């Protein structure tokens, strides 16, 4: 008779009963009855505020672990943000950012930036460099992680991981130096080209504008694809082996199991990292660009970040801040668009 009653009980009622039992168990472990427990005994449904208070009492101590990261972000990320007001000033070193002597110029710095005859070239170079780097660099760690996860011998797998991770620890200066030894004037590639009957001056790729983007993108991906694959490998380690066993019983090959088991398992991770990557799509560091920049490739290597750096070196602080703020606004807009699109198409988002 009792089994029939349980079978006829709606699933929602069973879930509510389970929630009440869990609440009672938590309260007993915490050391006795509380006001919320009395409400449960009296068959009173606790309010959302009461549930939040009880959850905070049980799990609030976990927030202590978040405090160091929160303090760091407040001090070093949000604290300096007041400096964006420099974009609306004629600022010089030693002036008060906000004070009686502050010279406010409104949107003049933005007007000077947008009216620069090279503005279109800087923006296009930045966009192409970043979007091509994203197209090549985003799927590469996913592919590497899936392939590494398919390697069965542990020694070979560990050896490949070390081989892929190692370039990440090479500094940019050393990396560009290596590239110049291979692709630069009188480099290894030029010497081979001359000996094989090519142009007597060699290829001189560092002096060609059309070679800058391939060199920049592929060298950056070579350096970071193994390190970026760590997150996906961690996600793949949580895949239930029973799913692979079931797929084997159904006759799925190893290649098929990658698409049917592994890839769906890491899809939430892929979506989150894709949204974050799109949010930084227009952010190209100036360090590597400046190290690779020459008179021959400056038409494709001059980007927004190098423009900001050049303005700071010339003492144009307001103009540089305005151009940097413009770039940041674009990144925020791209982040919102990527999050909205992901929420609509994949039902997953950051907020």
């Amino acid at each position: 008779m009792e089994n029939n009653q349980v079978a006829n009980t709606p699933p929602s009622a069973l879930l509510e009963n389970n929630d009440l039992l869990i609440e009672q168990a938590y309260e007993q472990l915490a050391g006795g009855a509380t006001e919320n427990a009395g409400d449960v005994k009296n068959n009173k449904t606790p309010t959302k505020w009461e549930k939040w208070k009880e959850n905070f009492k049980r799990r609030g101590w976990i927030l202590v672990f978040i405090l160091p990261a929160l303090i760091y972000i407040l001090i070093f990320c949000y604290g300096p943000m007041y400096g964006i007001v420099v974009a609306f000033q004629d600022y010089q070193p030693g002036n008060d950012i906000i004070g009686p002597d502050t010279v406010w110029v409104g949107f003049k710095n933005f007007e000077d930036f947008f009216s620069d005859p090279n503005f279109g070239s800087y923006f296009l170079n930045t966009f192409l460099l970043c979007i091509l780097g994203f197209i090549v660099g985003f799927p590469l760690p996913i592919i590497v992680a899936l392939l590494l996860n398919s390697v069965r011998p542990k020694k070979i797998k560990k050896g490949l991981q070390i081989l892929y991770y190692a370039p990440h620890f090479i500094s940019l200066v050393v990396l560009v130096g290596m590239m110049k030894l291979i692709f630069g004037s009188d480099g290894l590639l030029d010497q081979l080209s001359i000996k094989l009957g090519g142009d007597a001056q060699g290829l001189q790729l560092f002096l060609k504008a059309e070679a800058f983007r391939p060199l920049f993108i592929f060298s950056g991906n070579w350096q970071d694809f193994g390190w970026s694959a760590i997150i996906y490998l961690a996600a793949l380690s949580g895949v239930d082996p029973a799913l692979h066993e079931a797929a084997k019983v159904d006759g799925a090959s190893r290649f098929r199991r990658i698409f049917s088991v592994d890839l769906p398992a890491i899809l939430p991770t892929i979506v989150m990292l894709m949204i974050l990557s799109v949010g930084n799509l227009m952010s190209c560091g100036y360090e590597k660009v400046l190290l690779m920049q020459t008179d021959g490739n400056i038409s494709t290597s001059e980007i927004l970040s190098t423009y900001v750096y050049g303005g700071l070196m010339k003492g144009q602080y307001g103009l540089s801040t305005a151009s940097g703020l413009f770039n940041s606004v674009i990144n925020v807009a791209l982040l919102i668009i990527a999050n909205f699109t992901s929420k609509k198409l994949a039902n997953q988002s950051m907020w």
Side-chain angles (χ1 to χ4, degrees):
M1 185 68 178
E2 293 179 356
N3 294 335
N4 291 333
Q5 291 177 351
V6 173
N8 294 327
T9 303
S12 59
L14 291 174
L15 291 174
E16 291 179 0
N17 292 333
N18 289 336
D19 291 339
L20 294 176
L21 292 174
I22 291 171
E23 292 288 338
Q24 290 176 348
Y26 269 122
E27 288 155 5
Q28 290 176 359
L29 291 173
T34 60
E35 293 180 2
N36 192 36
D39 292 340
V40 172
K41 291 178 181 178
N42 296 329
N43 294 325
K44 294 181 180 179
T45 303
T47 63
K48 290 183 178 180
W49 172 245
E50 291 172 341
K51 288 182 178 180
W52 186 90
K53 287 195 299 184
E54 289 300 320
N55 288 332
F56 185 81
K57 288 180 181 178
R58 290 195 300 266
R59 306 182 182 92
W61 59 273
I62 299 177
L63 297 176
V64 175
F65 295 98
I66 305 176
L67 284 178
L70 182 61
I71 293 172
Y72 175 85
I73 291 174
L74 290 176
I75 294 175
F76 294 102
C77 295
Y78 285 93
M81 285 181 66
Y82 76 96
I84 63 175
V85 298
V86 174
F88 306 95
Q89 302 173 1
D90 183 12
Y91 179 80
Q92 294 298 325
N95 294 351
D96 293 333
I97 293 181
I98 298 179
D101 298 330
T102 302
V103 180
W104 297 93
V105 295
F107 291 95
K108 182 179 182 301
N109 290 320
F110 291 93
E111 293 173 358
D112 292 342
F113 174 57
F114 294 138
S115 62
D116 191 307
N118 295 319
F119 167 75
S121 176
Y122 298 155
F123 184 83
L124 181 62
N125 288 340
T126 305
F127 179 78
L128 290 177
L129 196 64
C130 294
I131 194 67
L132 293 175
F134 175 79
I135 293 172
V136 175
F138 183 76
L140 191 58
I142 302 173
I143 297 171
V144 171
L146 292 172
L147 294 178
L148 282 176
N149 190 62
S150 302
V151 177
R152 290 307 173 204
K154 290 186 177 180
K155 291 184 178 180
I156 297 178
K157 184 177 181 179
K158 295 295 182 182
L160 289 174
Q161 286 179 349
I162 294 172
L163 184 66
Y164 292 155
Y165 298 164
H168 176 76
F169 300 97
I170 301 175
S171 69
L172 287 178
V173 177
V174 175
L175 176 64
V176 176
M178 293 168 56
M179 293 171 61
K180 288 184 177 180
L181 289 175
I182 298 173
F183 303 105
S185 301
D186 299 326
L188 177 62
L189 198 62
D190 279 13
Q191 295 298 327
L192 288 175
S193 175
I194 293 171
K195 289 183 179 181
L196 293 175
D199 191 346
Q201 295 182 350
L203 298 176
Q204 296 185 347
L205 296 180
F206 266 78
L207 298 178
K208 295 182 178 179
E210 63 272 15
F212 172 78
R213 292 190 188 111
L215 288 175
F216 184 92
I217 292 170
F218 286 106
S219 62
N221 287 318
W222 171 79
Q223 187 178 25
D224 291 328
F225 77 92
W227 186 258
S228 301
I230 292 177
I231 298 177
Y232 300 110
L233 285 171
L236 287 169
S237 65
V239 177
D240 190 353
L243 297 175
H244 283 281
E245 296 299 329
K248 286 181 181 179
V249 172
D250 291 338
S253 62
R254 186 69 190 101
F255 185 76
R256 180 62 183 174
R257 279 184 280 136
I258 289 176
F259 287 93
S260 299
V261 179
D262 291 335
L263 197 58
I266 65 173
L267 186 60
T269 305
I270 293 174
V271 172
M272 288 295 108
L273 292 180
M274 184 192 69
I275 294 174
L276 293 174
S277 298
V278 171
N280 288 318
L281 191 61
M282 293 292 289
S283 297
C284 291
Y286 65 89
E287 299 93 343
K288 186 179 176 182
V289 176
L290 288 177
L291 290 170
M292 294 180 61
Q293 197 172 73
T294 63
D295 292 337
N297 63 22
I298 197 169
S299 61
T300 56
S301 63
E302 190 70 15
I303 59 177
L304 290 175
S305 59
T306 57
Y307 179 81
V308 172
Y309 177 80
L312 291 175
M313 293 297 99
K314 297 176 183 177
Q316 299 173 336
Y317 297 98
L319 182 62
S320 298
T321 306
S323 56
L325 181 59
F326 168 75
N327 198 14
S328 299
V329 169
I330 292 178
N331 282 329
V332 172
L334 290 174
L335 177 64
I336 295 173
I337 293 172
N339 187 77
F340 177 80
T341 305
S342 174
K343 190 174 183 179
K344 290 296 183 181
L345 298 180
N347 199 25
Q348 294 183 11
S349 61
M350 295 183 63
W351 66 82

